[in-house]
Amino acid sequence: MAHFAELDENNVVKRVIVVANKDTADADGNEKESIGVAFCQKLLGGNWVQTSYNGSIRKNYAGIGYTYDTALDAFVPPKPFPSWVLNSDTAQWDAPVPMPTDGKKYSWDEASQSWVESEGAI
């Protein structure tokens, strides 16, 4: 099974669908994105890009609200906080300060630009 994301006019993911392998393969059984895209367009119209659960293509699995960045050829999740910076290697957002790795639970506090221990953390 292959997965395809429909994009709006701003390259934001509207939905993700599953397409049968037979609908993405050429006569020799080789999967081709262009065949899957053509299948999606014929069936539903719109602008489609293939995505992958394991991140083997386009760095991240597409989710509703993600943006397809054509320069990175990657699906980028929504930016969680204004101060976070896009990591072009992972297409994920990085906090300005790394989260502590002491095993405790933390949440980001944008006002103080720091990680704060979550209430009820063990």
Side-chain angles (χ1 to χ4, degrees), residues 3-6 13-18 48 51 61-64:
H3 298 84
F4 287 83
E6 183 180 16
V13 176
K14 294 169 51 173
R15 61 180 159 173
V16 178
I17 64 170
V18 178
W48 296 86
T51 186
Y61 182 72
I64 294 172

Side-chain angles (χ1 to χ4, degrees), residues 5-15 46-49 62 66-68 70 75:
E6 183 180 16
L7 308 176
D8 70 10
E9 62 279 354
N10 297 310
N11 282 350
V12 175
V13 176
K14 294 169 51 173
R15 61 180 159 173
N47 181 24
W48 296 86
V49 177
Y66 280 44
T67 300
Y68 175 60
T70 57
F75 287 102

Side-chain angles (χ1 to χ4, degrees), residues 29-101:
N30 300 311
E31 182 181 308
K32 298 199 180 217
E33 180 177 14
S34 60
I35 295 172
V37 166
F39 174 81
C40 293
Q41 289 173 333
K42 182 178 178 184
L43 186 67
L44 301 165
N47 181 24
W48 296 86
V49 177
Q50 191 169 6
T51 186
S52 169
Y53 266 121
N54 62 15
S56 62
I57 60 170
R58 307 215 160 85
K59 301 188 184 192
N60 300 300
Y61 182 72
I64 294 172
Y66 280 44
T67 300
Y68 175 60
D69 184 312
T70 57
L72 294 178
D73 190 26
F75 287 102
V76 178
K79 189 173 186 175
F81 297 97
S83 64
W84 288 32
V85 177
L86 184 62
N87 179 323
S88 61
D89 292 331
T90 64
Q92 292 286 329
W93 297 99
D94 290 339
V97 177
M99 185 171 69
T101 57

Side-chain angles (χ1 to χ4, degrees), residues 102-118:
D102 58 8
K104 297 178 183 177
K105 293 184 180 182
Y106 290 89
S107 59
W108 180 253
D109 180 58
E110 184 69 6
S112 67
Q113 298 281 295
S114 65
W115 293 98
V116 292
E117 191 173 345
S118 299

